[in-house]
Amino acid sequence: MLSKALLRVGASAARHPWRVIAAWLIAATLAVLAAIAFGGRTADSMTAPGLDSQRAAELIERAGTGQEGMTAQVVVTPLDGGATFFDHGSARTALTRLQTEVERLPHVLGTSDPAGALDAGGDTAVRGGLVSADGRIAVVRVQYPDQSRLSAEDLDALVDLGDRLRAELPLRIEMGGSLFYAFSDPDGGASELIGLLAAAAILFLAFGSLVAAALPIGMAVFGLTVGVATMTVLAGVTDVPTFAPVLGSMVGLGVGIDYALFVLARHREYLARGLDPHEAAGRAVATAGRPVVFAGGTVVVSILGLAVANVPFMTVGGVAVSIVVLIMVLASVTLLPAFLGAAGLGLARARRIGRALRTRKPARLARRRDRAAGTAPAAGWRRWIGHVSRHPVPYAVGAAGLLLTATLPVLGLRVGLPDDGSLPHSRTERRAYDLVAEGFGPGTNGPLVIAADPAGDPGVLDRLVGAVAADPGIASVAPTHIDRATGIATLVVFPTTSPQDKATADTVARLRTEVLPTTIGHGPARAHIGGAAASLSDVGQRTSQRLPVLVATVLAMSFLLLMLVFRSILVPLKAVLLNLLSIGAAYGIMVAVFQWGWGGALIGLEATVPIVSFIPMFLFAILFGLSMDYEVFLLSRVREEYLRTGDNGTAIVEGVSGTARIITSAALIMVAVFLSFAVADDPSTKMFGLGLATAIFIDATVVRMVLVPATMTLLGRTNWWLPRWLDRMLPRGPVGTDGTDDTDAESTGEAPRPRLVDR
């Protein structure tokens, strides 16, 4: 039985704490050393097999033009605010020196030459789009090889050169491009610290003890160290996306502290009953640790479901975050009881309670025990849950209506990728973006690259260039580059709209469905559209198409897992439906904030942006798993009460009110951790932080404290209904939680009552 195994593990860790702590110290040290020796840097690779943009990249790579690699752009303007132009004088000399030094950087394949374009004379078209029409803004485009041959050191070298030249040249120098997107360090350091401090404050208020508050924080820091180091080692083997460490830190801190809180609350409860601290730690791991294992398993299953999207960077990101969650589960059932054993938490209090058990009246004993445990149902929560249970219909209808209303903005959901124009002005990428848009038009920040194989028909290229240039969404087309060996041609095309604008995605779709097929016809020639803007649009469409598959997969797996845990059909069905409501409401609030701008200034959002294409899928997987944490913890307590009393109404009131304070504290911790990331610079990090915080807040309040007691009251004893034939088919032992595995019931000496099974 799982509970018995956890009992042995928890009790052993509490009795031999220094062995366990030493083992975790060794594991953390080895993980960090492995990360230093074999780890890699995170990098984004927004590609997926079968996409049109991927086919374009393959054609470009075959041609060997170098345009399949990473790019950067150095944007410059004279420091005197426009009184000087690049046509002559010191500014021209400075521009030439800048371009020369950038070209000398390691791994740079080549650069554009804006000074040379000025020598050619003529208008902006003749200048190749490298110097603005007014002569005030110039762009040095830098071509790098494929991302696999680059590292963060290449970005550091470019940034260091810019810092040096700013001090030597009379130029304002800003930088951007895909090199920054791929290798910039993700946000997170300050956010993690803020989240930890907020969690420590909430834990102190919940337990009234510095030691009790420090233990979950210490456990989470240990687990996060091992998890992030392991993620770094994984990055040395494959491309781990840059958002993975930030997301892993968010989720890891949240679930780690939450799981520790659940176990610590049970530990204090057993101490209040007079148990020895070591035995209390073992029983706490056996009872609270079981929901922790199942909840963590649900989170992992949900996140690994991202593989159905068939987008490699999402799959790898999901695996990386899952590793952190698994480590936090392991720490909760081994390291935390070791901490409890080392600290002897509450030993004196346990002895005082034990003496009180021999001298005081039962009623006064119960009140004293409840206060000491810190986890017993507070009178206020018991009254509230009892009130909801007496009026289940209006509360169920009202709460469901509120969540459905909050979900309505999802109808206007628009996926895309916030470009550098959504970053704060403190970032050089944003300043470079603004300069390029000012000098050359917004579409210059997101060029499309059309790769064409004429297949022996040279006339097709002329027709293609003319048709593309005539499209209303295209501002200009750069001169065609033809590889003599393969005959493959590449066209750099500049849209009239910015990369994140919906009109740009419409232009790409129109070129693919109308312009290219009409121009090329049904012959052997072929053409594909690539570039960063097209790639991100393709990934967004792929994830949107696969989201229903992910939802169905995660719902089915979660339903089966919960059915095994609670031996019921209606309990898991209700759980997945209520979790869908809370996640839908979180999506709606994200749309209102990021797309409509409602309250965006509160989190430092400077402009409305589309929802990042892969975030809805990631959020669903993570939020569904996290929501199940509270579901498993709450329903485990309700089930214990039902097995003990056999009365559904009593089980609901006692179970929900008995966990209300812990769930509220745990939710506050998660909300604080996630909101600390919502104020980061990067819009993607903001979306993850706000989306997770909103969903957890809704889930812990409206869902757990209103909808769950209301719906369970309406269902009555059928909550625990299970057809007899299905009961025989479902496995027991470590997976099922039949009565013989109820450690808490065993500890009280009360035999669990049979489940409601259809005979």
Side-chain angles (χ1 to χ4, degrees):
M1 296 297 180
L2 178 60
S3 291
K4 292 181 180 178
L6 290 173
L7 177 64
R8 289 193 296 270
V9 170
S12 176
R15 290 192 180 94
H16 309 286
W18 299 114
R19 297 180 187 175
V20 177
I21 294 172
W24 273 92
L25 278 171
I26 293 172
T29 302
L30 291 177
V32 171
L33 291 176
I36 295 172
F38 309 109
R41 294 288 294 267
T42 58
D44 288 312
S45 179
M46 296 292 183
T47 59
L51 298 178
D52 189 66
S53 54
Q54 180 66 20
R55 296 189 181 101
E58 291 167 358
L59 269 182
I60 296 171
E61 185 175 6
R62 210 177 97 198
T65 62
Q67 289 179 317
E68 75 277 9
M70 305 296 294
T71 60
Q73 58 183 13
V74 182
V75 190
V76 294
T77 187
L79 282 175
D80 56 11
T84 302
F85 303 95
F86 284 117
D87 298 88
H88 60 276
S90 60
R92 171 71 169 275
T93 304
L95 179 60
T96 302
R97 179 185 168 190
L98 172 75
Q99 182 262 331
T100 301
E101 296 216 26
V102 169
E103 196 167 27
R104 291 174 180 167
L105 288 174
H107 297 135
V108 170
L109 299 178
T111 65
S112 62
D113 183 7
L118 284 170
D119 291 336
D123 57 15
T124 304
V126 175
R127 294 173 179 176
L130 301 179
V131 181
S132 61
D134 60 8
R136 289 193 314 106
I137 300 172
V139 177
V140 177
R141 295 195 172 94
V142 190
Q143 185 66 53
Y144 285 92
D146 184 76
Q147 182 173 329
S148 62
R149 290 186 280 169
L150 300 175
S151 68
E153 283 72 20
D154 294 286
L155 175 60
D156 294 340
L158 180 62
V159 171
D160 291 343
L161 175 62
D163 291 340
R164 177 169 63 82
L165 292 182
R166 285 189 186 97
E168 299 175 4
L169 301 178
L171 301 175
R172 174 186 168 192
I173 302 173
E174 307 296 350
M175 299 178 177
S178 60
L179 188 72
F180 282 79
Y181 182 79
F183 295 111
S184 291
D185 288 329
D187 297 332
S191 297
E192 292 168 12
L193 180 59
I194 294 171
L196 282 173
L197 293 176
I202 295 169
L203 286 168
F204 178 74
L205 292 175
F207 289 108
S209 166
L210 287 175
V211 175
L215 295 184
I217 298 293
M219 189 214 78
V221 170
F222 258 96
L224 197 60
T225 301
V226 177
V228 173
T230 304
M231 196 182 299
T232 304
V233 174
L234 181 64
V237 179
T238 185
D239 287 337
V240 175
T242 55
F243 63 79
V246 176
L247 191 57
S249 298
M250 257 192 269
V251 176
L253 284 177
V255 301
I257 295 173
D258 268 16
Y259 294 164
L261 179 61
F262 296 159
V263 174
L264 183 59
R266 273 302 182 95
H267 177 71
R268 292 186 59 157
E269 185 177 345
Y270 285 125
L271 286 177
R273 294 181 182 180
L275 271 67
D276 176 83
H278 296 158
E279 184 180 358
R283 291 199 176 275
V285 172
T287 51
R290 185 176 57 194
V292 163
V293 170
F294 284 124
T298 307
V299 174
V300 171
V301 166
S302 298
I303 297 176
L304 291 181
L306 290 166
V308 304
N310 195 24
V311 178
F313 81 88
M314 292 182 62
T315 302
V316 175
V319 170
V321 176
S322 297
I323 289 173
V324 177
V325 174
L326 286 174
I327 290 172
M328 288 300 182
V329 171
L330 182 62
S332 300
V333 298
T334 59
L335 182 59
L336 182 62
F339 280 167
L340 294 174
L345 186 63
L347 179 60
R349 175 173 288 186
R351 290 171 176 167
R352 289 198 301 270
I353 298 300
R355 288 195 298 269
L357 287 171
R358 297 190 294 270
T359 59
R360 295 178 180 269
K361 295 180 180 180
R364 295 177 65 188
L365 278 176
R367 289 193 297 270
R368 176 71 179 272
R369 184 186 66 190
D370 290 350
R371 286 195 300 269
T375 57
W381 283 115
R382 186 183 281 112
R383 285 194 299 271
W384 168 252
I385 302 303
H387 175 70
V388 172
S389 299
R390 289 191 297 273
H391 307 88
V393 174
Y395 277 105
V397 173
L402 177 65
L403 295 184
L404 287 173
T405 300
T407 304
L408 288 177
V410 173
L411 298 176
L413 176 67
R414 180 170 69 88
V415 298
L417 189 83
D419 53 32
D420 288 344
S422 61
L423 295 174
H425 288 279
S426 59
R427 297 276 290 268
T428 185
E429 302 100 298
R430 168 61 184 274
R431 297 192 296 269
Y433 179 96
D434 290 343
L435 281 176
V436 169
E438 176 188 344
F440 306 95
T444 312
N445 280 299
L448 307 175
V449 181
I450 300 179
D453 183 356
D457 181 8
V460 74
L461 294 179
D462 294 333
R463 297 195 303 272
L464 182 62
V465 172
V468 170
D471 187 88
I474 300 301
S476 62
V477 179
T480 305
H481 181 280
I482 302 176
D483 179 62
R484 293 185 178 181
T486 62
I488 295 173
T490 54
L491 293 79
V492 178
V493 178
F494 298 97
T496 58
T497 50
S498 67
Q500 72 173 7
D501 199 314
K502 183 178 182 297
T504 302
D506 294 340
T507 297
V508 173
R510 185 171 57 254
L511 291 175
R512 284 173 173 165
T513 58
E514 300 176 16
V515 177
L516 298 188
T518 302
T519 304
I520 294 177
H522 300 288
R526 58 193 177 113
H528 304 285
I529 302 178
S535 297
L536 295 170
S537 176
D538 289 350
V539 170
Q541 291 181 8
R542 168 71 62 85
T543 56
S544 297
Q545 292 168 357
R546 298 295 177 91
L547 182 58
V549 179
L550 172 70
V551 171
T553 303
V554 172
L555 291 183
M557 290 190 295
S558 299
F559 176 83
L560 290 174
L561 181 60
L562 289 176
M563 186 168 61
L564 292 175
V565 174
F566 295 110
R567 317 294 294 186
S568 164
I569 289 181
L570 294 182
V571 163
L573 180 62
K574 171 186 61 64
V576 297
L577 292 177
L578 295 185
N579 286 346
L580 279 176
L581 274 178
S582 62
I583 294 171
Y587 279 5
I589 292 172
M590 284 177 58
V591 171
V593 172
F594 290 97
Q595 288 185 208
W596 300 352
W598 293 6
L602 297 176
I603 58 172
L605 188 68
E606 297 187 3
T608 58
V609 293
I611 304 301
V612 176
S613 56
F614 56 83
I615 281 185
M617 185 173 277
F618 251 104
L619 279 185
F620 176 82
I622 294 170
L623 287 173
F624 199 87
L626 294 181
S627 297
M628 286 299 177
D629 285 1
Y630 298 134
E631 187 76 20
V632 171
F633 183 68
L634 184 151
L635 290 180
S636 295
R637 198 61 178 266
V638 173
R639 179 176 172 77
E640 286 179 17
E641 294 296 332
Y642 180 73
L643 291 173
R644 185 176 65 84
T645 66
D647 181 83
N648 185 69
T650 301
I652 293 171
V653 173
E654 295 299 319
V656 178
S657 61
T659 56
R661 193 169 84 168
I662 297 302
I663 287 180
T664 302
S665 299
L668 284 175
I669 290 171
M670 273 207 182
V671 169
V673 170
F674 296 152
L675 281 182
S676 68
F677 286 85
V679 297
D681 288 344
D682 183 61
S684 301
T685 305
K686 290 181 185 291
M687 288 181 195
F688 275 126
L690 183 66
L692 291 169
T694 302
I696 294 299
F697 177 78
I698 292 172
D699 190 81
T701 53
V702 179
V703 173
R704 301 297 153 217
M705 299 303 138
V706 179
L707 277 174
V708 167
T711 54
M712 292 191 76
T713 299
L714 291 172
L715 292 173
R717 284 175 57 84
T718 56
N719 279 303
W720 312 108
W721 171 73
L722 186 70
R724 185 177 178 82
W725 62 268
L726 184 57
D727 185 55
R728 289 195 299 266
M729 291 177 59
L730 295 178
R732 297 182 183 275
V735 178
T737 55
D738 55 3
T740 60
D741 195 28
D742 196 294
T743 304
D744 194 50
E746 291 174 1
S747 69
T748 60
E750 300 178 29
R753 303 191 179 192
R755 296 177 306 282
L756 180 61
V757 178
D758 182 14
R759 302 183 183 278

